[in-house]
């Protein structure tokens, strides 16, 4: 069996968690006793081929992260902390500049607030990106979608062509590096890494995401994540 491609994993964890309505950024919230960021870093560390993990953290939270790594016994030579930025994309941009990223074939970006991504999902994405140059996890939309203005429907959108997008998102290193070079130079941030790649014309390949790979955004998400962990 051939060895897996070398993989650098970037974990943007620089958010303030404003939408959650708590003083604690949501990446530090315990999910069934273990903070989301610890779960995300632990899973990242076990992905085959992973040689570096670069975590983007707000400057005033670095000590918090270091003590969590210590407390959960996951301090690892592969883990590096860099400064977060004022937008997710800026946090990722900082992480991409870490010297260890230049050494890897593939770069994965995975939100600290998605603690439930499985090893199987990581495997699908790494394989997809190895073949196609990029791979992101997507899910179909089950609700009917409408565009509205001032609480009035403007149109109904054909949901069959719409996908919900998750992380991890995996790219050949030179593709994501170039996408971020252009995006940062033009202060164009998007809401995920794929959008910066799309913007420079890089085709982005979709693989099946996972329903349970939720993004912890509201207290309800914590309930769902904990229920999932208890049942599994
Ligand atoms: O803001 P959003 O919910 O999309 O955040 C997704 C991920 O990006 C989270 O893990 C969050 O900590 C991170 N983030 C970041 N820097 C920011 C904003 C968000 O690293 N300025």
């Amino acid at each position: 069996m051939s060895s897996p491609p070398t993989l650098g994993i970037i974990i943007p964890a620089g958010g303030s968690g404003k939408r959650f309505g708590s003083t604690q950024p949501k990446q530090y919230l315990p999910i069934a006793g273990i903070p989301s960021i610890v779960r995300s870093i632990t899973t990242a560390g076990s992905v085959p081929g992973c040689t570096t993990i670069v975590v983007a953290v707000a400057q005033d939270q670095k000590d918090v992260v270091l003590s969590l790594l210590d407390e959960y016994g996951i301090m690892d030579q592969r883990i590096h902390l860099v400064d977060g930025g004022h937008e997710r994309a800026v946090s990722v941009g900082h992480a991409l500049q870490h010297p260890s990223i230049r050494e890897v074939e593939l770069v994965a970006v995975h939100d600290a607030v998605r603690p439930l991504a499985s090893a199987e999902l990581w495997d699908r994405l790494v394989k997809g990106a190895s073949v196609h140059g990029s791979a992101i996890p997507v899910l179909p939309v089950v609700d009917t979608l409408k565009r509205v203005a001032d609480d009035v429907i403007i149109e109904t959108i054909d949901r069959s062509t719409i996908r919900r997008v998750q992380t991890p998102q995996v790219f050949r290193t030179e593709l994501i590096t170039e996408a971020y070079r252009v995006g940062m130079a033009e202060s164009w941030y998007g809401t995920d890494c794929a959008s910066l790649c799309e913007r420079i014309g890089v085709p982005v390949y979709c693989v099946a995401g996972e329903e349970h790979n939720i993004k912890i955004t509201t207290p309800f998400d914590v309930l769902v994540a904990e229920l999932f962990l208890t049942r599994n």
Side-chain angles (χ1 to χ4, degrees), residues 3 57 97 113 139 165 229:
S3 52
V57 181
Q97 283 168 19
V113 290
L139 288 171
V165 172
L229 285 167

Side-chain angles (χ1 to χ4, degrees), residues 11-17 19 26-27 56-57 84-92 110-114 191 215-217:
I11 308 221
S16 60
R19 276 171 295 174
K26 53 204 174 165
Q27 57 272 29
V57 181
H86 60 93
E87 293 276 342
R88 178 189 188 274
V90 178
S91 297
V92 173
H110 184 50
D111 291 333
V113 290
R114 286 190 192 267
T191 51
K215 180 172 169 186
I216 304 293
T217 311

Side-chain angles (χ1 to χ4, degrees), residues 65-168:
V65 173
L66 287 173
S67 65
L68 282 174
L69 296 177
D70 192 36
E71 181 184 343
Y72 285 90
I74 54 169
M75 192 74 92
D76 180 323
Q77 282 183 344
R78 294 175 300 172
I79 300 177
H80 312 278
L81 301 191
V82 297
D83 287 345
H86 60 93
E87 293 276 342
R88 178 189 188 274
V90 178
S91 297
V92 173
H94 287 172
L96 280 168
Q97 283 168 19
H98 191 273
S100 62
I101 293 293
R102 268 181 241 132
E103 315 291 322
V104 294
E105 291 162 87
L106 297 178
V107 173
V109 182
H110 184 50
D111 291 333
V113 290
R114 286 190 192 267
L116 302 181
S118 72
E120 292 76 22
L121 178 63
W122 274 97
D123 183 54
R124 276 204 293 285
L125 290 158
V126 169
K127 284 188 176 136
S130 303
V131 175
H132 301 280
S134 66
I136 68 169
V138 304
L139 288 171
V141 175
V142 292
D143 293 319
T144 297
L145 296 175
K146 309 273 190 194
R147 192 181 311 283
V148 296
D150 300 325
D151 293 335
V152 175
I153 306 297
I154 306 292
E155 64 168 331
T156 302
I157 296 163
D158 175 11
R159 70 180 175 200
S160 67
T161 62
I162 305 288
R163 298 290 180 272
R164 292 180 285 142
V165 172
Q166 306 181 321
T167 71

